[in-house]
Amino acid sequence: MTSPLVKKIKNDNLNSKALNMKRIYIKDLKSHIGSEVTIAGWVDIRRDHGKLIFIDLRDASGKVQMVALPNHKEGHALANTVRPEWVIQVTGNVNKRPEKLVNKGEPNGEIEIEILSIVVLNEAETPPIDVRGDGKEIGEESRLKYRYLDLRRPRMQKNVRNRHKVIKLVRDIMDKDGFIEIETPLLTKSTPEGSRDYVVPSRLEKGKFYALPQSPQQYKQLLMSAGMEKYFQFARCMRDEDTRGDRQPEFTQMDLEMSFVTEEDIMAINEKTLIEVVKTIYPEKKIQQIPFPRITYKEAMSKYGNDKPDIRTDKNDPNLLAFCWVVDFPFFEKEDSGKWTFTHNPFSGAKPEYLKNLMEMKDIGSIIAAQYDIVLNGYEIGGGSIRNHNAEALVKVFEIMGYERERIEKNFGHMLRAFKTGTPPHGGIAWGLDRFMMLLENEPNIREVIPFAKTGEGKDLMMESPSDISKEQLIELGIKITQ
Ligand code: ASP
């Protein structure tokens, strides 16, 4: 039952300019002891002790305990009505807690807000999922469906905020090193890069399709043709593959390409950046070995049975980061059909000593690519190569894979033409940012570090996507659905 007093206060609130723009952040309250302040946020929990009503209020910066005393009649009456996740603005006194009531473990443990008045900015229904714990006991489907709620929990707030910090720091490091961030198109062309493409129908050219980029690979190489020399980008990549714990239909790469470089240069700049990220943002973590050890593909396979070895000396230590480089990958491998295919990226170059074999298409299985993967605790968190910058060498790669000249021209004519206009030697790398963040945050899968993640089946449960489109849209696109 809403009391007449509460009704009156709510009415007054509606009629006044309720939102006080002089609101301060909860993390700053300690410097306002003894004064009256206005704060705003979400009701984390309310504990009713009859005369005393305690409310924990949460904003993006922190949490604080507030108390409503019966002598502030209006504030007390309203405090009685608020429920978890209501959005309220509170004006109150910042009081120092008596020594014996100080909560040492809490950032605001030595203060308490004495509520003078409350403005309810928005009410909330009983939340379908609890947002206060770490959420690990809640089914993932519910968490993804109500992601806006799920993201309110401290663990997810921390993951999203640290992700921002990592991106920001890497941008700053790259900028300082003379790299520039360049956006490349999302509507691009279907080309073989290892996975199935997501395609987008063209309305103006019915029956034709764009492809969403699996990576900015070709554009970044064309930027080297364009004389940019040092490119990077936090790039969204889309691959239509069966999802796993460390895969998602769309993911983020820290993508980089440089001109006039060797493998050593690319590895050095990445190693330096990775170390700086860990030391600055995760000082509690220990990097097992610097410089990062290098392991050849052959050695990794014989010693660890895979090409992303987990070389941690103590697998129980959540703060141990064991980076290593894996190098000297075979350029080609045989498919079941007996045809040769590239192992990583058709644009990789051969190591200089194998270039002759590539050009003469000789001893193909023995050709080693100028490729390097960066591995962390048993996960491949990045990979790249020094590329072929010579048109004929690129043609050879496709010929080895059995492509006809005509198909090479059709798919990669733009690359071949660019390479003939004076393209410098170049190479690069891309990190899987989500996997890196997952490991830094000790999370079991990348969905915990992707704000709006999809399910293992590639569904967005919150937006209910993929979804049907209207008959009109289908007609406009010239598309007929067959069952
Ligand atoms: N584009 C490559 C990938 O997505 C990375 C690279 O070679 O730079 O794996």
Side-chain angles (χ1 to χ4, degrees):
M1 275 302 107
T2 314
S3 72
L5 175 62
V6 168
K7 259 196 198 141
K8 178 189 165 293
I9 306 168
K10 284 191 176 174
N11 234 351
D12 289 351
N13 284 344
L14 280 179
N15 295 333
S16 69
K17 268 184 119 193
L19 192 61
N20 181 344
M21 299 315 258
K22 288 215 199 80
R23 165 220 182 191
I24 67 164
Y25 284 103
I26 287 176
K27 73 169 168 38
D28 299 327
L29 282 172
K30 270 172 291 189
S31 54
H32 293 268
I33 292 173
S35 35
E36 185 183 310
V37 295
T38 296
I39 54 178
W42 289 261
V43 172
D44 202 57
I45 194 166
R46 188 188 61 115
R47 291 179 299 276
D48 197 342
H49 291 208
K51 280 191 185 140
L52 298 184
I53 302 165
F54 291 96
I55 298 172
D56 286 356
L57 193 72
R58 194 182 73 225
D59 71 9
S61 75
K63 210 158 77 173
V64 69
Q65 175 171 292
M66 312 188 295
V67 60
L69 308 169
N71 56 332
H72 306 299
K73 217 171 158 197
E74 295 199 348
H76 190 266
L78 219 52
N80 227 330
T81 71
V82 304
R83 293 291 176 271
E85 300 314 307
W86 283 29
V87 184
I88 60 175
Q89 175 188 292
V90 175
T91 299
N93 293 326
V94 187
N95 295 338
K96 215 171 155 76
R97 290 196 207 179
E99 195 56 52
K100 60 179 193 316
L101 292 180
V102 167
N103 189 346
K104 289 225 170 68
E106 291 284 324
N108 279 326
E110 77 252 39
I111 58 166
E112 188 174 71
I113 305 294
E114 178 190 343
I115 297 173
L116 299 175
S117 65
I118 296 178
V119 177
V120 174
L121 300 172
N122 211 348
E123 297 184 7
E125 292 172 357
T126 305
I129 57 171
D130 184 19
V131 305
R132 281 172 298 126
D134 71 7
K136 288 190 172 144
E137 70 298 341
I138 304 172
E140 198 182 20
E141 298 220 331
S142 303
R143 292 185 49 214
L144 291 173
K145 176 157 190 199
Y146 301 105
R147 193 58 149 185
Y148 38 85
L149 272 175
D150 188 51
L151 289 173
R152 289 182 195 172
R153 74 182 68 259
R155 176 170 68 95
M156 296 303 279
Q157 289 270 321
K158 170 179 73 64
N159 288 356
V160 172
R161 289 172 197 282
N162 281 346
R163 186 182 171 112
H164 158 76
K165 283 190 195 162
V166 169
I167 292 175
K168 159 94 169 61
L169 178 60
V170 172
R171 283 199 160 115
D172 290 346
I173 296 170
M174 290 291 137
D175 178 66
K176 232 195 265 152
D177 267 337
F179 286 83
I180 56 166
E181 185 161 21
I182 306 175
E183 294 157 283
T184 51
L186 288 182
L187 292 178
T188 163
K189 180 173 163 168
S190 185
T191 54
E193 274 196 58
S195 300
R196 207 175 284 116
D197 285 316
Y198 278 102
V199 294
V200 178
S202 160
R203 176 180 61 84
L204 294 175
E205 288 194 59
K206 288 198 179 52
K208 297 221 164 133
F209 295 83
Y210 302 97
L212 300 178
Q214 293 187 24
S215 84
Q217 183 67 34
Q218 296 189 46
Y219 287 106
K220 70 172 173 174
Q221 289 194 247
L222 293 166
L223 286 169
M224 298 303 106
S225 303
M228 295 298 169
E229 291 207 29
K230 285 174 141 186
Y231 144 94
F232 84 104
Q233 179 182 197
F234 279 90
R236 310 300 293 281
C237 305
M238 276 64 82
R239 297 182 188 175
D240 187 1
E241 45 192 3
D242 298 328
T243 40
R244 286 196 246 126
D246 58 348
R247 294 241 170 107
Q248 261 264 129
E250 55 183 314
F251 58 97
T252 303
Q253 285 187 343
M254 199 292 282
D255 192 41
L256 171 161
E257 196 79 5
M258 295 169 82
S259 293
F260 307 106
V261 284
T262 61
E263 286 184 59
E264 292 298 329
D265 298 313
I266 305 277
M267 288 159 88
I269 190 150
N270 280 278
E271 195 161 319
K272 184 192 91 172
T273 307
L274 290 165
I275 293 169
E276 198 171 330
V277 166
V278 173
K279 290 204 163 151
T280 314
I281 302 171
Y282 297 89
E284 71 280 11
K285 301 223 177 243
K286 186 176 170 287
I287 298 177
Q288 182 165 290
Q289 197 181 335
I290 297 175
F292 300 167
R294 297 184 185 186
I295 304 172
T296 64
Y297 170 81
K298 227 173 162 176
E299 199 187 324
M301 294 308 283
S302 67
K303 211 164 144 190
Y304 303 93
N306 63 63
D307 60 1
K308 33 183 190 301
D310 188 349
I311 60 165
R312 275 177 297 173
T313 48
D314 177 2
K315 296 209 168 85
N316 294 318
D317 178 354
N319 282 335
L320 185 63
L321 298 175
F323 290 96
C324 65
W325 291 101
V326 178
V327 295
D328 292 354
F329 287 82
F331 202 136
F332 299 98
E333 65 187 358
K334 276 231 161 108
E335 286 180 329
D336 294 341
S337 63
K339 275 198 200 150
W340 288 108
T341 183
F342 55 89
T343 61
H344 172 77
N345 186 326
F347 303 105
S348 293
K351 286 205 142 189
E353 57 271 36
Y354 293 93
L355 195 59
K356 192 162 174 283
N357 280 2
L358 178 78
M359 296 313 286
E360 293 171 5
M361 297 171 71
K362 243 181 35 201
D363 223 351
I364 290 165
S366 74
I367 300 174
I368 301 291
Q371 187 200 322
Y372 30 79
D373 275 2
I374 178 79
V375 172
L376 174 56
N377 294 3
Y379 287 86
E380 181 205 322
I381 59 156
S385 60
I386 299 298
R387 326 294 182 187
N388 271 323
H389 65 284
N390 169 295
E392 267 323 294
L394 182 57
V395 168
K396 283 292 175 226
V397 173
F398 291 114
E399 283 183 349
I400 287 172
M401 299 192 320
Y403 284 36
E404 306 288 338
R405 278 266 168 180
E406 201 184 329
R407 181 170 169 208
I408 301 173
E409 184 52 43
K410 188 166 177 235
N411 280 331
F412 303 105
H414 54 285
M415 299 292 280
L416 300 175
R417 281 189 291 282
F419 284 6
K420 288 177 189 160
T421 63
T423 293
H426 60 279
I429 197 167
W431 310 350
L433 179 75
D434 311 292
R435 274 189 208 168
F436 185 37
M437 288 307 306
M438 168 186 95
L439 293 166
L440 291 172
E441 292 295 337
N442 291 319
E443 291 288 5
N445 66 64
I446 59 172
R447 294 184 295 282
E448 301 295 339
V449 297
I450 296 176
F452 293 105
K454 293 189 169 55
T455 64
E457 290 79 44
K459 284 197 173 68
D460 179 337
L461 294 176
M462 182 185 63
M463 304 286 273
E464 297 186 344
S465 164
S467 63
D468 294 327
I469 57 173
S470 72
K471 223 159 89 203
E472 291 71 29
Q473 281 172 302
L474 285 173
I475 291 167
E476 207 169 44
L477 295 166
I479 288 180
K480 202 163 152 190
I481 307 290
T482 58
Q483 290 311 325

